[in-house]
Amino acid sequence: MSNAIWFISYKLVDGADVAEFLAASENCNAQVLSKKPGFISWKVLRHGDTWVDLVTWKTMEDAINAESDDSTPDPVALNFYSFIDPSSLKSQVFSIEKD
Protein backbone atom coordinates (compact mmCIF):
# COMPACT_ATOMS: atom_id res chain seq x y z
CA MET A 1 0.00 0.00 0.00
CA SER A 2 1.41 3.40 -0.95
CA ASN A 3 1.65 6.57 1.08
CA ALA A 4 -0.69 9.48 0.42
CA ILE A 5 -0.19 13.24 0.34
CA TRP A 6 -2.48 16.11 1.14
CA PHE A 7 -1.78 18.92 -1.34
CA ILE A 8 -3.39 22.04 0.09
CA SER A 9 -2.89 25.43 -1.57
CA TYR A 10 -4.08 28.77 -0.22
CA LYS A 11 -3.38 32.46 0.20
CA LEU A 12 -3.19 34.33 3.46
CA VAL A 13 -5.80 36.87 4.47
CA ASP A 14 -4.95 40.50 3.74
CA GLY A 15 -2.61 41.94 6.35
CA ALA A 16 -1.55 38.58 7.78
CA ASP A 17 1.86 38.64 9.46
CA VAL A 18 3.98 35.88 7.89
CA ALA A 19 6.02 35.22 11.05
CA GLU A 20 2.82 34.88 13.11
CA PHE A 21 1.31 32.61 10.44
CA LEU A 22 4.37 30.36 10.41
CA ALA A 23 4.31 30.15 14.22
CA ALA A 24 0.59 29.24 14.14
CA SER A 25 1.29 26.69 11.40
CA GLU A 26 4.10 25.06 13.38
CA ASN A 27 1.94 25.02 16.50
CA CYS A 28 -0.96 23.40 14.61
CA ASN A 29 1.35 20.76 13.21
CA ALA A 30 2.92 19.97 16.59
CA GLN A 31 -0.31 19.92 18.61
CA VAL A 32 -2.95 18.71 16.15
CA LEU A 33 -1.82 17.31 12.81
CA SER A 34 1.14 15.21 13.95
CA LYS A 35 -1.08 13.49 16.52
CA LYS A 36 -3.42 12.03 13.90
CA PRO A 37 -3.05 8.33 13.03
CA GLY A 38 -0.81 7.68 10.04
CA PHE A 39 0.88 11.10 10.02
CA ILE A 40 4.41 10.98 8.56
CA SER A 41 5.53 14.51 7.68
CA TRP A 42 4.50 18.05 6.89
CA LYS A 43 6.12 20.75 4.73
CA VAL A 44 5.11 24.34 3.99
CA LEU A 45 5.97 25.73 0.55
CA ARG A 46 5.59 29.23 -0.83
CA HIS A 47 5.66 30.85 -4.25
CA GLY A 48 4.79 34.54 -4.16
CA ASP A 49 1.51 34.86 -2.32
CA THR A 50 0.53 31.21 -2.79
CA TRP A 51 1.25 28.75 0.01
CA VAL A 52 1.13 24.95 -0.12
CA ASP A 53 1.04 22.42 2.68
CA LEU A 54 2.31 18.96 1.76
CA VAL A 55 1.32 16.42 4.38
CA THR A 56 2.40 12.81 3.98
CA TRP A 57 0.33 9.98 5.44
CA LYS A 58 1.02 6.25 5.75
CA THR A 59 -2.08 5.34 3.74
CA MET A 60 -4.82 6.94 1.68
CA GLU A 61 -7.25 5.84 4.39
CA ASP A 62 -5.24 7.77 7.02
CA ALA A 63 -5.28 10.89 4.82
CA ILE A 64 -9.02 10.67 4.21
CA ASN A 65 -9.79 9.98 7.87
CA ALA A 66 -7.69 12.93 9.02
CA GLU A 67 -9.40 15.19 6.50
CA SER A 68 -12.90 14.13 7.47
CA ASP A 69 -12.40 14.20 11.24
CA ASP A 70 -15.83 15.04 12.70
CA SER A 71 -14.58 16.27 16.06
CA THR A 72 -14.93 19.85 17.21
CA PRO A 73 -12.10 21.94 15.71
CA ASP A 74 -9.18 22.43 18.04
CA PRO A 75 -8.53 26.09 19.08
CA VAL A 76 -4.94 25.71 17.85
CA ALA A 77 -6.22 24.64 14.43
CA LEU A 78 -8.77 27.46 14.38
CA ASN A 79 -5.97 29.95 15.05
CA PHE A 80 -4.04 28.54 12.08
CA TYR A 81 -7.12 28.69 9.83
CA SER A 82 -7.71 32.33 10.80
CA PHE A 83 -4.68 33.28 8.68
CA ILE A 84 -6.04 31.58 5.53
CA ASP A 85 -8.32 33.18 2.95
CA PRO A 86 -11.04 30.50 2.67
CA SER A 87 -11.95 31.53 -0.88
CA SER A 88 -8.42 30.60 -2.03
CA LEU A 89 -8.28 27.19 -0.36
CA LYS A 90 -7.87 24.13 -2.61
CA SER A 91 -7.32 20.66 -1.19
CA GLN A 92 -6.54 17.38 -2.91
CA VAL A 93 -5.35 13.97 -1.73
CA PHE A 94 -2.92 12.03 -3.92
CA SER A 95 -1.51 8.53 -3.66
CA ILE A 96 2.25 8.29 -4.15
CA GLU A 97 2.81 6.08 -7.16
CA LYS A 98 6.59 6.51 -7.40
CA ASP A 99 8.87 7.83 -4.71
Side-chain angles (χ1 to χ4, degrees), residues 6 10 13 16 20 26 38 44 53 56 63 65-66 70 72-73 87 89:
W6 279 356
Y10 52 88
V13 295
E20 288 179 14
E26 180 66 37
V44 177
D53 286 353
T56 306
N65 288 340
D70 292 331
T72 302
S87 69
L89 187 65

Side-chain angles (χ1 to χ4, degrees), residues 50-96:
T50 301
W51 294 79
V52 171
D53 286 353
L54 290 179
V55 183
T56 306
W57 300 93
K58 287 182 182 174
T59 67
M60 180 64 78
E61 183 179 5
D62 291 331
I64 291 168
N65 288 340
E67 190 174 48
S68 63
D69 187 355
D70 292 331
S71 64
T72 302
D74 186 285
V76 171
L78 290 174
N79 182 51
F80 166 70
Y81 297 137
S82 73
F83 287 89
I84 295 174
D85 174 358
S87 69
S88 70
L89 187 65
K90 295 178 185 146
S91 178
Q92 295 175 286
V93 182
F94 295 91
S95 63
I96 299 175

Side-chain angles (χ1 to χ4, degrees), residues 1-5 40-41 43 56-57 95-99:
M1 190 173 290
S2 65
N3 296 126
I5 290 185
I40 295 175
S41 68
K43 293 179 183 176
T56 306
W57 300 93
S95 63
I96 299 175
E97 299 299 319
K98 184 175 181 336
D99 197 6

Side-chain angles (χ1 to χ4, degrees), residues 21-33 42 76-77 79-80:
F21 163 70
L22 289 172
S25 185
E26 180 66 37
N27 199 25
C28 186
N29 177 61
Q31 294 188 36
V32 180
L33 195 57
W42 160 77
V76 171
N79 182 51
F80 166 70

